[in-house]
Amino acid sequence: MNPFKERKNILDAIGKITRLTFSTDEKAADVMKTCPGCGEKYGTGELAAAKYVCPSCGQYISMTAYERVSQIADEGSFREFNKARTGYDPIDFPGYEKKIQKMRKDTGLKEAVVTGSCTIGGEKAVLCVMDKRFMMASMGTAVGEKVFLAFEYAVKKKLPIVIFTASGGARMQEGIMALMQMARTSAAAARHDEAGLLYIAVMTDPTTGGVTASFASLADITIAEKGALIGFAGQRVIEQTIGEELPEGFQRADFQLEKGFVDMVAGRPELKDTIARILFIHGRRRH
Amino acid sequence: MSDEKDIRKAAAEIAFGEDLHAEEQEAKGAGASVRSGRKTAAQDAVEKVMKARSKERPVVTEYIDNIIEDAMYLAGDRCFAEDESVAGGIGLFRGLPVTFIGHRKGRDLEENIRCRFGMPNPEGYRKAIRLMKQAEKFGRPVIAFVDTPGAYPGKEAEERGQGQAIAECIKTMSRLCVPVVTVFTGEGGSGGALAFASGDRLIMLENSIFSILSPEGFASILWHDGSRWQEAAKVMKLTARDIKDLGVCDEIIPEPEPEEMHEKRFFDTVADTIWRNLGPLLSKDEGELVRDRYLKLRKTGSKYGRN
Ligand SMILES: [Zn+2]
């Protein structure tokens, strides 16, 4: 094919992606959320339409994993994997079972990550979204297993994978077995990489600790959501170590861009377009 | 962060019985109660943390110098700096060319400080990655030694990508086309330890520990009080025995009396154990080696693969 014509086709297709409409989840429209920036109250439907950016003050409002999925996946395309998958209590940690039960009741989630397959701008992909409402999206045996299995599915089906990371780190209550999830998810990411498949990480607020030090940092293309806190050690610990206060903006998305650890910082409203474009370009390469 | 409040509340709910506190008082008074036979697994964990950190134990470079013939230390990450908190190099292990890496805590205060007590900066992990890839190129097995409280939580470490460096180190080791045997000689804390422990075989000395975080860090995160590290140690399941029961550790090396740990006989035992674990790995071809390592990791840490 004429390379100029091919280029035009690609640009046309990208234009099409940009014009795609986003789905909104109307079911939960009666649940009100309050903007932490200005105190304004919004219905979920209204917020979804505004892409979870406060219409009056511009503040990013926390999204649940399913809200994120509905913003990123094409409408009706998401098929969830291992929805009922849970972890276990490997070190019999006092009070842990009870805490997990409460978390499940409060969030309606079984665990801190939602995984599945979908299309994004018409491109097939595996999508994982961590949900910080569930124990700060800490990684234990369930999160590790679900992310691991999502990578394996992507390898088996030769699909790209998109992961929205958010985490307080490895889950303390699961001890060493939580730490081992860093090795498991990293090995799974490596195998996906060796298969020549694309991995896009979107680091959202906050991506820290053992998740930063494993799969979150192993993507081909890394996007930081505007304003997200991204780092390994906690700020309190660093300040104790160095005996001084950290500067404003330390470990934030723009800091990581400046230091060279992310490819770009994207605003929430542009995320879907950006991901769709990257997927599109990779979907058109020669095999 | 609203979760902090939840965690604090959960911590308050956790019932540490009075008997545990009583034991704690005992531990403060007498290390001799070890042999009294009355000690619980929880108390044993506290003692093991202290032993794992004891200054009387051999440091990683002592193992290297006693086990590897003609050990030659190599420096630098080729990006930014040499990080002395990671010792690495090449030598012969019973006639077999090997690459070794390990945490260096230092032998005296001056060295301790230069090595940040065995807490690497990103350069340390990047140096390890460089040496592992070099080992792969020349078909040399990797012997790794772990003795670290964790990765260094410094401002500059963050600026230079501590998380990314650890992630790459784990990834590299987990897919390396040459055998990797890891020995825990003292403390193994958090991702900083795991960076050298995603290989084929994981061996622990009897009084070494492997934990998600240092007990102080664990207590600080869950209870906002690092001084409650003994309580943390009791519930973390961090002893070699615990780690083996959880299916993460493959073999435990019994320890002699502390003063005998610097004798040739003990280093020979450690070398024998490494050799015995390395043997079956050497007969595997590259594909088999990497596949088996992946399958082991696939099973470890899954509730379906648990022992
Ligand atoms: Zn607002």
Side-chain angles (χ1 to χ4, degrees):
Chain A
M1 191 193 257
N2 174 342
F4 291 102
K5 188 149 181 250
E6 187 170 24
R7 190 177 138 78
K8 186 178 175 300
N9 287 347
I10 290 173
L11 290 175
D12 282 351
I14 288 175
K16 238 178 261 158
I17 291 163
T18 316
R19 283 191 302 275
L20 280 173
T21 54
F22 298 96
S23 65
T24 53
D25 187 2
E26 303 290 350
K27 278 175 294 185
D30 53 328
V31 183
M32 300 295 280
K33 273 197 192 182
T34 306
C35 169
C38 65
E40 199 75 46
K41 285 186 165 50
Y42 300 101
T44 309
E46 201 179 346
L47 264 184
K51 302 193 169 87
Y52 299 88
V53 181
C54 175
S56 69
C57 77
Q59 169 95 27
Y60 281 17
I61 294 163
S62 282
M63 299 167 79
T64 68
Y66 289 115
E67 285 168 346
R68 182 75 82 172
V69 168
S70 73
Q71 288 280 305
I72 299 299
D74 296 339
E75 198 167 350
S77 72
F78 188 71
R79 298 281 172 274
E80 188 167 354
F81 304 152
N82 312 306
K83 188 173 177 158
R85 187 69 61 117
T86 57
Y88 68 115
D89 184 9
I91 62 169
D92 298 320
F93 192 81
Y96 181 48
E97 281 291 356
K98 215 170 122 192
K99 183 166 177 69
I100 284 276
Q101 294 301 343
K102 185 179 181 301
M103 279 291 153
R104 288 192 184 131
K105 227 172 100 191
D106 291 354
T107 62
L109 297 169
K110 286 281 188 205
E111 258 293 344
V113 69
V114 169
T115 63
S117 68
C118 66
T119 61
I120 301 171
E123 302 286 335
K124 277 201 82 169
V126 170
L127 177 64
C128 305
V129 181
M130 303 179 84
D131 194 319
K132 66 182 175 188
R133 291 173 306 155
F134 199 105
M135 293 185 80
M136 224 35 221
S138 52
M139 177 161 66
T141 50
V143 169
E145 180 89 343
K146 286 179 83 171
V147 169
F148 182 87
L149 292 174
F151 272 114
E152 288 210 328
Y153 180 89
V155 170
K156 200 169 144 200
K157 301 287 183 184
K158 298 190 169 59
L159 288 174
I161 187 167
V162 180
I163 306 185
F164 280 75
T165 64
S167 185
R171 188 173 296 169
M172 293 300 138
Q173 292 87 342
E174 293 192 23
I176 202 71
M177 293 324 247
L179 193 74
M180 290 310 288
Q181 305 308 319
M182 292 170 65
R184 301 183 79 216
T185 54
S186 297
R191 199 163 150 269
H192 185 261
D193 179 34
E194 286 162 21
L197 299 165
L198 171 69
Y199 167 22
I200 303 171
V202 185
M203 294 180 161
T204 70
D205 190 55
T207 296
T208 61
V211 167
T212 299
S214 63
F215 68 90
S217 292
L218 297 173
D220 297 293
I221 295 180
T222 306
I223 304 169
E225 189 174 64
K226 197 177 130 194
L229 179 81
I230 299 161
F232 175 65
Q235 300 208 343
R236 197 161 47 106
V237 178
I238 301 169
E239 288 180 336
Q240 274 169 14
T241 308
I242 62 173
E244 56 182 90
E245 264 181 52
L246 291 166
E248 184 80 19
F250 188 77
Q251 292 180 324
R252 294 284 165 185
D254 285 328
F255 167 97
Q256 295 297 353
L257 181 71
E258 186 197 314
K259 300 298 173 193
F261 291 101
V262 300
D263 290 285
M264 64 190 88
V265 175
R268 189 170 282 176
E270 300 101 62
L271 278 176
K272 177 165 180 169
D273 271 12
T274 309
I275 295 164
R277 281 162 191 245
I278 298 167
L279 289 173
F280 180 81
I281 290 165
H282 287 78
R284 293 303 170 277
R285 68 183 174 162
R286 256 184 279 257
H287 281 282
Chain B
M1 200 165 58
S2 69
D3 198 55
E4 276 188 14
K5 218 185 280 167
D6 292 346
I7 289 170
R8 222 177 291 189
K9 222 174 90 204
E13 282 167 19
I14 294 168
F16 285 100
E18 278 177 21
D19 50 334
L20 279 185
H21 288 291
E23 280 167 20
E24 202 172 305
Q25 296 308 316
E26 254 177 48
K28 277 177 191 155
S33 70
V34 184
R35 282 176 211 91
S36 73
R38 254 197 75 246
K39 89 188 147 155
T40 62
Q43 194 50 45
D44 183 49
V46 174
E47 277 159 17
K48 286 223 157 48
V49 171
M50 293 191 276
K51 280 186 187 170
R53 291 171 171 176
S54 164
K55 285 193 168 60
E56 309 304 313
R57 291 173 82 76
V59 292
V60 161
T61 43
E62 223 173 313
Y63 288 96
I64 292 169
D65 294 337
N66 279 284
I67 289 170
I68 313 282
E69 300 143 50
D70 302 323
M72 181 183 285
Y73 290 85
L74 304 172
D77 70 341
R78 302 297 183 270
C79 294
F80 184 78
E82 154 68 352
D83 184 350
E84 286 185 73
S85 69
V86 172
I90 54 175
L92 297 174
F93 176 51
R94 300 195 164 166
L96 183 74
V98 294
T99 288
F100 57 84
I101 52 175
H103 299 101
R104 188 191 268 122
K105 277 189 171 175
R107 293 175 214 240
D108 52 46
L109 192 61
E110 197 192 322
E111 210 184 21
N112 290 154
I113 291 164
R114 279 210 318 271
C115 299
R116 295 173 303 280
F117 291 86
M119 293 188 275
N121 270 333
E123 298 76 59
Y125 298 109
R126 294 194 177 113
K127 170 172 147 186
I129 293 167
R130 178 175 81 81
L131 294 179
M132 284 194 277
K133 289 190 169 162
Q134 191 184 76
E136 190 172 51
K137 175 178 175 183
F138 295 105
R140 292 190 288 262
V142 174
I143 302 173
F145 298 91
V146 172
D147 187 16
T148 180
Y152 188 65
K155 179 168 175 263
E156 289 173 4
E158 289 295 315
E159 289 168 345
R160 297 198 295 270
Q162 188 71 287
Q164 187 267 350
I166 294 171
E168 283 293 336
C169 199
I170 296 170
K171 178 185 173 180
T172 303
M173 189 180 264
S174 74
R175 302 301 286 173
L176 211 64
C177 291
V178 290
V180 184
V181 173
T182 300
V183 184
F184 280 61
T185 63
E187 53 179 335
S190 108
L194 184 72
F196 293 174
S198 55
D200 301 296
R201 304 288 290 172
L202 200 157
I203 300 164
M204 294 182 76
L205 295 193
E206 187 184 343
N207 292 312
S208 67
I209 58 171
F210 188 15
S211 56
I212 184 166
L213 199 59
S214 68
E216 289 84 354
F218 187 94
S220 168
I221 283 194
L222 284 185
W223 309 318
H224 294 268
D225 184 359
S227 71
R228 290 169 67 183
W229 69 269
Q230 296 203 358
E231 284 167 63
K234 286 170 183 174
V235 294
M236 287 172 79
K237 300 253 168 43
L238 44 61
T239 68
R241 185 75 255 164
D242 292 330
I243 304 301
K244 188 156 188 293
D245 288 344
L246 285 162
V248 172
C249 165
D250 298 301
E251 185 169 346
I252 297 171
I253 302 176
E255 287 180 20
E257 293 302 313
E259 58 278 10
E260 290 167 6
M261 287 181 77
H262 298 272
E263 287 171 13
K264 187 178 176 299
R265 215 166 65 145
F266 176 61
F267 292 117
D268 283 347
T269 308
V270 175
D272 283 343
T273 311
I274 297 171
W275 187 252
R276 188 160 27 74
N277 278 276
L278 201 52
L281 301 172
L282 291 169
S283 61
K284 292 182 186 180
D285 67 41
E286 286 177 11
E288 208 182 348
L289 188 69
V290 176
R291 194 185 56 237
D292 288 354
R293 189 187 299 139
Y294 182 79
L295 292 176
K296 184 186 177 205
L297 220 40
R298 192 178 202 283
K299 202 179 117 202
T300 313
S302 162
K303 75 169 172 178
Y304 302 101
R306 67 176 139 151
N307 294 8

